[in-house]
């Protein structure tokens, strides 16, 4: 999205001339723009392309960063990210060499990704003049993908489908939920900010309703109960935020119409919803009643696992969560690092075939304990505060701030029932959202890249 006018004017000198960023030549800037779309591609195609894109963007940014005589200084936020990554890698390496089996855990090295957050922020700095066009191109690709991968016949026949190109229908449902949030705020931005590019605005008016509609159909077809719950909590919040963009009367009418359409759709497929979620809801209520009736939580979980009335997916998740809590409880402060699988083999339900814990918070706790959870939570809170400050300083549009916050809220809810932070969609979200926060931090300090001292004065 385009920055608000005061900041756009402030950076005009840095992005003037025949080069879109004032530093990179056009071909490289276009190539970098395509790489940023690949960074967001896990919301459309579940692959590792985003990793290679991030690596290339980091190399390009590092080259120009080292070459520029005027460049952003690494502050405590950058050192925090790289310090945490160094801690993760050092602990991983020590455990690997000192354990007889050379324990490597499962996807443990991914927690060192914060090392790339600051340099990816510099990469955004290089491409900031093209961000509005990059976002529009992403939504064009998104609509194309949603149309090309639609499963209308199967969805309305009550079958379970995998939205987009994903390895699992749950992953597709989470991706579609994120796309809905991004699309709605993208549309709200152009509906309320008349200083933005009017060609892109007209494009947003046309494609946004189709993207949102196709995503809701896909989410219904994916039959992910966790995503349904997360959206059920997020949509009212989104509606309240959306009211602040529109005149009260108009906003109330729009939200009322959307709510009626949503409720009508839910009512028309109520039997299928009950068939999908009913057994899980019943088993969950019975377990909670057991706890409130005087039984301890551990006993209630054990009884629910042993019950023939518990759906298979819920039964497996409870076993995974029971094992995870057992592992965490044996090393609550610093966790087990990459030795956690060794401890996992001694748990009560170690026979279960998965090592994906189906809870993003437990993924962190079993590896890095309360210390790691506290550091990562502080890092996230810092990023959220930084992006909010950037909005308050008119560096980014209001819609960008709201899309950032609401999407993270939705994603945090999905982590309660699935380890989405260990998936491509979670990793790419972490890289992109953190890079955005680091970019906001640099802009708040008025920092930039300039190839000469004269450029510095102009910028």
């Amino acid at each position: 999205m385009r920055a608000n006018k005061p900041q756009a004017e402030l950076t005009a000198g840095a992005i003037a001339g025949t080069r879109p960023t004032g530093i990179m030549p056009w071909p490289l800037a276009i190539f970098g723009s395509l790489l940023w779309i690949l960074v967001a591609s896990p919301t459309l195609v579940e692959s590792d392309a985003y990793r290679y894109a991030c690596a290339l963007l980091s190399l390009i940014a590092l080259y120009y960063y080292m070459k520029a005589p005027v460049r952003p200084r690494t502050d405590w936020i950058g050192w925090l990210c790289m310090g945490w990554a160094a801690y993760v890698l050092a602990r991983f390496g020590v455990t690997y060499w000192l354990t007889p089996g050379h324990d490597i855990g499962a996807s443990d090295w991914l927690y060192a990704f914060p090392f790339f957050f600051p340099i990816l922020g510099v990469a955004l700095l290089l491409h900031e003049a093209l961000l509005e066009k990059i976002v529009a191109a992403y939504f064009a690709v998104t609509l194309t993908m949603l149309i090309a991968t639609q499963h209308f016949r199967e969805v309305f026949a009550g079958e379970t489908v995998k939205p987009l190109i994903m390895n699992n229908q749950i992953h597709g449902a989470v991706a579609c939920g994120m796309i809905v949030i991004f699309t709605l705020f993208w549309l709200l931005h152009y509906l309320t900010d008349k200083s933005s590019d009017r060609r892109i605005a007209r494009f947003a008016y046309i494609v946004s309703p189709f993207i949102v509609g196709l995503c809701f159909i896909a989410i219904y077809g994916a039959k992910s109960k966790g995503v349904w719950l997360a959206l059920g909590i997020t949509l009212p919040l989104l509606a309240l935020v959306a009211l602040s963009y529109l005149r009260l009367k108009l906003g109330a009418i729009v939200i009322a119409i959307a709510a009626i359409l949503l409720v009508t759709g839910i009512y028309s497929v109520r039997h299928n919803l009950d068939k999908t979620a009913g057994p899980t809801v019943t088993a969950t209520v019975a377990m909670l009643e057991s706890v409130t009736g005087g039984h301890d939580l551990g006993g209630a979980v054990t009884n629910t696992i042993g019950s023939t009335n518990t759906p298979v997916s819920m039964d497996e998740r409870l076993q995974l969560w029971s094992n995870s809590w057992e592992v965490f409880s044996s090393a609550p402060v610093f966790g087990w690092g990459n030795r956690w699988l060794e401890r996992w083999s001694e748990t009560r339900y170690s026979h279960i075939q998965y090592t994906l814990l189906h809870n993003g918070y437990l993924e962190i706790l079993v590896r890095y304990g309360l210390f790691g959870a506290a550091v990562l939570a502080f890092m996230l809170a810092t990023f959220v505060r930084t992006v909010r400050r950037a909005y308050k300083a008119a560096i980014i549009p209001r819609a960008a701030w709201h899309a950032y916050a609401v999407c993270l809220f939705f994603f945090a809810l999905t982590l309660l029932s699935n380890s989405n932070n260990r998936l491509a969609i979670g990793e790419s979200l972490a890289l992109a959202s953190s890079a955005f926060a680091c970019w906001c931090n640099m802009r708040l300090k008025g920092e930039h890249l300039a190839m000469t001292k004269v450029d510095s004065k102009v910028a």
Side-chain angles (χ1 to χ4, degrees):
M1 290 184 178
R2 176 178 293 177
N4 289 353
K5 274 207 166 186
Q7 188 62 27
E9 293 169 358
L10 189 66
T11 59
I15 62 177
T18 57
R19 295 178 180 181
T21 63
I23 295 178
M24 294 190 300
W26 269 102
L28 185 57
I30 294 172
F31 176 67
S33 300
L34 294 175
L35 290 178
W36 277 114
I37 295 176
L38 282 179
V39 172
S41 67
T43 56
L44 308 173
V45 182
E46 193 164 11
S47 74
D48 290 337
Y50 70 96
R51 292 182 182 174
Y52 306 114
C54 284
L56 287 172
L57 284 168
S58 298
L59 289 174
I60 293 170
L62 184 61
Y63 169 78
Y64 283 104
Y65 182 84
M66 298 303 295
K67 184 179 178 182
V70 178
R71 58 197 183 204
R73 292 163 295 182
T74 304
D75 65 359
W76 68 270
I77 295 178
W79 289 119
L80 173 65
C81 294
M82 292 186 286
W84 167 259
Y87 167 74
V88 169
L89 291 174
R91 184 172 178 179
F92 182 93
V94 169
T95 302
Y96 176 82
W97 288 112
L98 295 183
T99 53
H102 297 298
D103 295 316
I104 60 172
S107 302
D108 287 34
W109 58 276
L110 301 178
Y111 291 87
F113 274 10
F115 182 82
F116 297 97
F117 293 170
I119 196 62
L120 285 173
V122 176
L124 266 181
L125 194 66
L126 288 171
H127 295 88
E128 66 179 17
L130 296 171
L131 287 183
E132 188 174 24
K133 295 180 176 63
I134 292 172
V135 172
Y138 165 79
F139 283 113
V141 175
T142 298
L143 179 60
T144 303
M145 287 293 297
L146 285 167
I147 294 173
T149 59
Q150 57 83 17
H151 305 278
F152 293 147
R153 182 180 302 175
E154 293 85 350
V155 169
F156 293 115
E159 299 177 20
T160 302
V161 301
K162 288 191 292 186
L164 299 164
I165 302 177
M166 298 288 175
N167 299 331
N168 183 293
Q169 67 267 21
I170 299 175
H171 308 173
V174 173
C176 286
M178 293 168 59
I179 292 170
V180 165
I181 294 168
F182 290 141
T183 305
L184 288 174
F185 283 113
W186 184 55
L187 176 61
L188 285 170
H189 169 69
Y190 287 107
L191 286 172
T192 55
D193 187 349
K194 302 305 179 184
S195 66
S196 54
D197 191 315
R198 290 296 90 192
R199 293 170 301 174
I200 296 179
R202 288 190 290 271
F203 175 67
Y205 301 155
I206 295 170
V207 304
S208 295
F210 291 103
I211 292 175
V212 172
L214 289 171
C215 281
F216 273 121
I217 293 172
I219 291 169
Y220 164 68
K223 293 182 170 53
S224 170
K225 297 177 286 294
V227 175
W228 289 353
L229 178 62
L231 266 183
I233 297 173
T234 304
L235 287 179
L237 172 64
L238 195 155
L240 288 174
V241 175
L243 277 174
S244 66
Y245 286 78
L246 307 172
R247 292 189 300 273
L248 183 59
K249 184 176 180 180
L250 176 62
I253 293 173
V254 170
I255 290 174
I257 292 173
I260 290 171
L261 291 174
L262 184 61
V263 171
T264 302
I266 292 173
Y267 181 78
S268 64
V269 296
R270 64 191 183 283
H271 299 300
N272 202 351
L273 294 177
D274 182 64
K275 180 181 177 182
T276 302
T280 300
V281 172
T282 301
T284 302
V285 170
M287 182 175 68
L288 294 176
E289 287 178 346
S290 178
V291 174
T292 56
H295 294 84
D296 64 281
L297 180 60
V301 170
T302 301
N303 292 335
T304 305
I305 292 173
S307 173
T308 57
N309 296 323
T310 304
V312 174
S313 60
M314 179 178 176
D315 183 273
E316 291 179 338
R317 275 176 168 78
L318 288 175
Q319 291 183 55
L320 289 168
W321 297 344
S322 175
N323 287 352
S324 302
W325 189 258
E326 190 176 334
V327 173
F328 161 67
S329 299
S330 59
V333 179
F334 293 104
W336 283 84
N338 37 315
R339 291 181 56 202
W340 72 275
L341 283 180
E342 173 189 328
R343 179 66 180 83
W344 183 268
S345 63
E346 303 171 4
T347 55
R348 181 171 185 175
Y349 303 106
S350 59
H351 60 276
I352 196 165
Q353 57 182 321
Y354 308 114
T355 57
L356 193 72
L357 306 185
H358 286 72
N359 183 292
Y361 305 104
L362 289 172
E363 294 279 359
I364 297 169
L365 289 172
V366 298
R367 291 170 172 81
Y368 301 107
L370 294 172
F371 169 75
V375 172
L376 294 174
F378 177 74
M379 196 182 298
L380 176 61
T382 300
F383 289 155
V384 172
R385 179 177 177 271
T386 300
V387 174
R388 185 176 183 275
R389 288 179 58 217
Y391 153 61
K392 291 292 187 181
I395 292 171
I396 61 172
R398 176 173 55 159
W401 152 240
H402 285 150
Y404 186 91
V406 175
C407 182
L408 288 180
F409 176 75
F410 165 75
F411 192 78
L413 292 175
T414 69
L415 293 183
L416 293 171
S417 60
N418 209 50
S419 299
N420 297 315
N421 50 344
R422 265 183 66 181
L423 306 178
I425 188 172
E427 294 171 19
S428 65
L429 176 63
L431 288 162
S433 63
S434 302
F436 183 69
C438 289
W439 173 75
C440 287
N441 185 53
M442 286 183 276
R443 304 312 284 126
L444 280 167
K445 297 187 296 179
E447 294 186 322
H448 58 276
L449 280 173
M451 300 313 293
T452 66
K453 296 294 184 180
V454 174
D455 290 340
S456 172
K457 294 178 181 179
V458 172

